[in-house]
Amino acid sequence: MQREVGALPLAPALRARLAAAGFQTAQELLDTGPCGLSKEIGISKEEALEALQVVRQECHGDAARAAGGSGATRKCTALELLEEEQTQGFIITFCSALDNILGGGVQLTKITEICGAPGVGKTQLCMQLAVDVQIPECFGGVAGEAVFIDTEGSFMVDRVVDIAAACVQHCHLIAEAQQEEDHQKALETFSLESVLSHIYYFRCRDYIELLAQVYLLPEFLSEHSKVRLVVIDGIAFPFRHDFEDLSLRTRLLNGLAQQLIIIANDHKSAVVLTNQMTTRIGQSQSTLVPALGESWGHAATVRLILHWDSSQRLATLYKSPSQKESTIAYHITSHGFRDVQPPAVTPDAGGAEGNPRKRPRREEEKQ
Amino acid sequence: MVVLRAGLCPGLTEEMIQLLRANGIRTVVDFVSSDLEDVAQKCSLSYKALVAVRRVLLAQFSAFPANGADLYEELKSSTAILPTGNPSLDQLLDSGLYTGEVTEFMGAPGSGKTQVCLGIAASVSLSLKQHVLFLDSTGGFTASRLYQMIQAQTEDEEEQAALQRVQVVRVFNIYEVLSALQELRDRLSQQVMSSVGHLKMVLMDSVSAVIYPLLGGRQSEGLALMMQLSRELKTLAREFSLAVVVTNQVTRDSSTGPLKPALGRSWSFVPSTRVLLESKEATWEKATTQHVASLAKSPRQPTGIQVELDIG
């Protein structure tokens, strides 16, 4: 197990000193011991001890892996992953066309990005998902809790109350129609108060608070192990203004993306981000593209773009590892996200009603 | 810059090292390049012992030149060409992926890099019955899509076996990648056939996702780690005759400039072949998309060839 010194997660200054002193493999470091090490490279005994602890951890991790145990590493065959994926649930959005193009709904363990112009319904979809993740399993949901990180301040509690009430009502109607015992039992715990109490809300005002929140999230998630959805509403907002050093922004965003992927994977939860749109001025025309640049486009696994077409709202699946690109239409009603034509079977006919709360579509905003 | 240590070779004792160090000879390079008669006189050590030690050190640490003809024979017998399963892509790559080399697929988001990697994994695992190692750093590996691709190519019950030959490791930062590659190297050199089998391909999707958080700003160690990763990949490819495939992002110089591959000029020397994937529409509003692959760098074919890809 000859790990090279350059490949160990030590501080760069320490690594430079070790290389200058001629250490090449981790085994040599361990053989020297802390006293010899501190004498050779001129660091204090405590630092040498800390460094050796890190090295020992890495080497033991390697040894455990080589012996056949694969507990800590994320290694498996494609067959095992397929079985895992087939038993995993989706978070439905109550708009069946959108669920269809997403392949069943928002997938767990993946990052989904929702981009759109202002007013098209990104925050509405996030609030809908925060409610839908809590649907009990007998009704086809995931029975999890939600973390909502808000950077723009657009989270309105009374709107969530409306959406949650409609969702609970929908489940009651299904239970009455199907009359099964576990439905009744699940309904006892699935009520408006329980839905609201399982949405954990964080408000971050600038990018430092956002980064801190995301890096502290794994601890929070290990305490609240039922969380299945992390929503960050407005990831573009804190990063778009007042950033002089663009390379710093790219680095921070990429680090954030990797951290979110780790969270999604380790805690089996879906991560949903919302992004703004910006204009790219080309030779002959200008187009609307998602904000935060080209490199951010690689962070999300699934990308959904919401846009207007005269007065109809459309959703396009732009990037997905398993579904084809397609566009569907949707509506936002007083009950939340719904299809344009309500399917005939469901009892709630909230499909095509006008909503007094819905923002009126003004002509100036048309792209 | 290996420091002289007791036990590095037989005949190199602790007292010898102390004497050498007192005269300013600390590393192997110092020892081998110094005049041994001079050293024998100054350190009062026997000349014969010093010559013996030098011979062993040279054998251990120097590289041996090889004859061009021998090298050609060796390459002819050890290089394999793995077809990608996509005839137009094979045409672009001069009949497939060559083992012993690093091939790179780059493209904008949504241009089809992960799909191409999954297609290659499906084809190698199913038709060639070789093992594939897939290092996933973006979370974009979807087993159901791989299953779909395998099902499209065969009707029998070989699907399960094909899926078992693809091993997936999720690595989300650079140190995990390096340790996974190191572990692979240890296993291959110890020739543990049971778990690794006939490993012929390593796919890494994507390499820029783990390196981007390190680059930029005033940190210079990002480049060092990137070069370390490239060294690991190339050594694996060459020593064990594997085909290594990586995916990369593209960036622009300014908001309207042409697309160029990410990770800069230092990385551009690492892959021997580079393919740029593009989806034909500039906007996302149209319903049909076509994927185009063009050859940006190749040791065998003229660059600039373009083919249309059909990603299922």
Side-chain angles (χ1 to χ4, degrees), chain B residues 22-300:
Chain B
N23 276 296
I25 297 184
R26 284 197 77 225
T27 65
V28 172
V29 176
D30 295 337
F31 186 89
V32 160
S33 54
S34 56
D35 181 12
L36 285 186
E37 285 193 9
D38 209 27
V39 173
Q41 240 178 7
K42 267 196 278 187
C43 310
S44 57
L45 291 167
S46 105
Y47 180 71
K48 268 202 204 153
L50 287 175
V51 167
V53 169
R54 185 165 81 169
R55 203 179 306 136
V56 177
L57 285 178
L58 277 176
Q60 248 183 346
F61 289 102
S62 56
F64 287 97
N67 189 326
D70 292 338
L71 191 63
Y72 178 63
E73 289 299 316
E74 188 200 319
L75 280 179
K76 253 195 340 184
S77 59
S78 63
T79 310
I81 307 181
L82 306 172
T84 59
N86 193 325
S88 37
L89 194 58
D90 281 343
Q91 195 192 356
L92 195 68
L93 292 171
D94 191 21
S95 70
L97 294 162
Y98 280 66
T99 60
E101 286 184 6
V102 178
T103 311
E104 180 179 281
F105 289 98
M106 49 188 184
S111 55
K113 306 186 288 297
T114 311
Q115 298 298 309
V116 167
C117 286
L118 287 175
I120 294 174
S123 147
V124 169
S125 159
L126 190 63
S127 345
L128 303 175
K129 304 223 178 352
Q130 305 283 2
H131 284 240
V132 174
L133 178 68
F134 198 106
L135 293 163
D136 183 20
S137 67
T138 56
F141 181 85
T142 327
S144 34
R145 177 76 180 123
L146 183 66
Y147 187 55
Q148 217 177 29
M149 286 181 168
I150 291 181
Q151 268 184 325
Q153 291 181 29
T154 177
E155 311 86 24
D156 352 12
E157 287 89 48
E158 295 175 359
E159 298 145 5
Q160 299 244 344
L163 280 176
Q164 270 187 325
R165 285 190 279 262
V166 177
Q167 199 174 53
V168 179
V169 185
R170 299 207 142 111
V171 284
F172 299 125
N173 66 40
I174 184 78
Y175 298 110
E176 286 178 19
V177 175
L178 288 171
S179 80
L181 290 175
Q182 187 94 41
E183 190 199 330
L184 178 65
R185 185 133 69 107
D186 290 335
R187 276 196 324 200
L188 284 175
S189 55
Q190 287 169 17
Q191 291 185 329
V192 178
M193 294 299 265
S194 55
S195 51
V196 174
H198 305 279
L199 183 74
K200 268 295 169 208
M201 173 164 293
V202 175
L203 287 150
M204 175 141 192
D205 180 26
S206 74
V207 73
S208 39
V210 287
I211 296 184
Y212 249 126
L214 306 166
L215 292 179
R218 258 163 276 158
Q219 298 176 8
S220 52
E221 66 149 7
L223 280 179
L225 284 167
M226 184 167 85
M227 286 296 112
Q228 187 122 42
L229 177 63
S230 71
R231 202 172 64 169
E232 283 282 342
L233 289 173
K234 288 193 113 154
T235 326
L236 270 177
R238 175 64 56 175
E239 267 184 52
F240 301 106
S241 298
L242 305 175
V244 176
V245 175
V246 297
T247 63
N248 195 5
Q249 299 172 6
V250 285
T251 59
R252 285 174 203 271
D253 277 329
S254 55
S255 57
T256 51
L259 289 175
K260 64 179 174 85
L263 298 179
R265 202 173 289 202
S266 318
W267 183 262
S268 64
F269 296 107
V270 175
S272 5
T273 313
R274 276 190 142 168
V275 176
L276 174 70
L277 296 172
E278 288 172 299
S279 32
K280 256 202 168 150
E281 276 67 40
T283 65
W284 37 261
E285 282 149 358
K286 305 206 187 133
T288 57
T289 42
Q290 267 179 319
H291 299 269
V292 174
S294 37
L295 197 62
K297 174 184 176 191
S298 166
R300 284 173 283 271

Side-chain angles (χ1 to χ4, degrees), chain A residues 185-198:
Chain A
K185 230 186 306 181
L187 275 179
E188 287 163 23
T189 49
F190 187 60
S191 67
L192 185 58
E193 289 79 26
S194 77
V195 169
L196 290 176
S197 64
H198 288 306

Side-chain angles (χ1 to χ4, degrees), chain A residues 5-312:
Chain A
V5 165
L8 295 168
L10 299 166
L14 186 59
R15 255 213 295 265
R17 288 204 202 187
L18 287 172
F23 288 97
Q24 275 205 331
T25 65
Q27 199 56 39
E28 284 177 25
L29 281 179
L30 289 175
D31 285 339
T32 317
C35 302
L37 199 63
S38 64
K39 234 187 304 173
E40 288 264 348
I41 46 180
I43 55 175
S44 73
K45 291 231 178 77
E46 293 83 29
E47 287 176 20
L49 202 59
E50 268 179 41
L52 280 178
Q53 268 175 349
V54 170
V55 174
R56 210 166 277 135
Q57 221 175 20
E58 283 292 313
C59 290
H60 282 167
D62 280 345
R65 275 196 287 262
S70 61
T73 58
R74 309 175 186 98
K75 190 163 58 156
C76 45
T77 63
L79 190 61
E80 293 165 20
L81 272 183
L82 182 65
E83 286 164 15
E84 241 183 71
E85 274 178 30
Q86 280 173 342
T87 52
Q88 224 170 50
F90 293 93
I91 305 179
I92 61 171
T93 60
F94 267 111
C95 170
S96 53
L98 189 59
D99 287 341
N100 279 337
I101 64 168
L102 286 173
V106 173
Q107 262 184 323
L108 299 181
T109 76
K110 299 240 188 299
I111 300 189
T112 309
E113 188 183 354
I114 304 173
C115 318
V120 77
K122 306 187 290 293
T123 308
Q124 297 293 311
L125 183 54
C126 292
M127 295 198 279
Q128 181 79 55
L129 289 171
V131 169
D132 288 347
V133 73
Q134 306 186 38
I135 297 179
E137 277 162 13
C138 49
F139 294 107
V142 180
E145 304 174 352
V147 166
F148 199 104
I149 300 178
D150 189 8
T151 60
E152 297 171 345
S154 46
F155 183 82
M156 298 279 121
V157 184
D158 26 2
R159 182 71 179 129
V160 179
V161 166
D162 286 346
I163 297 179
C167 180
V168 171
Q169 176 75 4
H170 186 93
C171 292
H172 272 284
L173 289 172
I174 294 183
E176 273 172 41
Q178 297 196 343
Q179 288 291 336
E180 277 178 42
E181 209 188 288
D182 39 345
H183 285 193
Q184 301 293 340
K185 230 186 306 181
L187 275 179
E188 287 163 23
T189 49
F190 187 60
S191 67
L192 185 58
E193 289 79 26
S194 77
V195 169
L196 290 176
S197 64
H198 288 306
I199 301 181
Y200 303 107
Y201 177 78
F202 296 93
R203 175 86 169 90
C204 297
R205 269 159 281 263
D206 58 11
Y207 75 93
I208 298 185
E209 280 184 35
L210 178 61
L211 285 171
Q213 188 57 54
V214 172
Y215 281 96
L216 290 175
L217 210 47
E219 270 180 46
F220 181 83
L221 289 179
S222 48
E223 284 165 31
H224 301 84
S225 55
K226 287 192 70 178
V227 171
R228 288 285 170 270
L229 175 69
V230 175
V231 177
I232 302 186
D233 187 11
I235 199 155
F237 182 66
F239 284 100
R240 278 190 85 184
H241 52 87
D242 267 357
F243 235 100
E244 312 87 26
D245 187 3
L246 279 185
S247 65
L248 175 67
R249 186 180 93 167
T250 315
R251 206 166 76 241
L252 289 177
L253 280 174
N254 278 295
L256 193 63
Q258 290 302 110
Q259 184 67 15
L260 288 172
I261 295 178
I262 294 176
I263 290 176
N265 223 289
D266 287 345
H267 299 274
K268 289 221 172 355
S269 49
V271 175
V272 174
L273 314 168
T274 59
N275 196 2
Q276 298 169 354
M277 302 290 269
T278 181
T279 317
R280 177 184 298 160
I281 302 175
Q283 278 95 0
S284 54
Q285 49 169 26
S286 57
T287 50
L288 271 189
V289 293
L292 295 180
E294 287 274 346
S295 54
W296 178 250
H298 298 270
T301 321
V302 177
R303 203 174 225 189
L304 199 61
I305 300 189
L306 308 179
H307 53 113
W308 296 103
D309 178 24
S310 60
S311 61
Q312 175 60 51

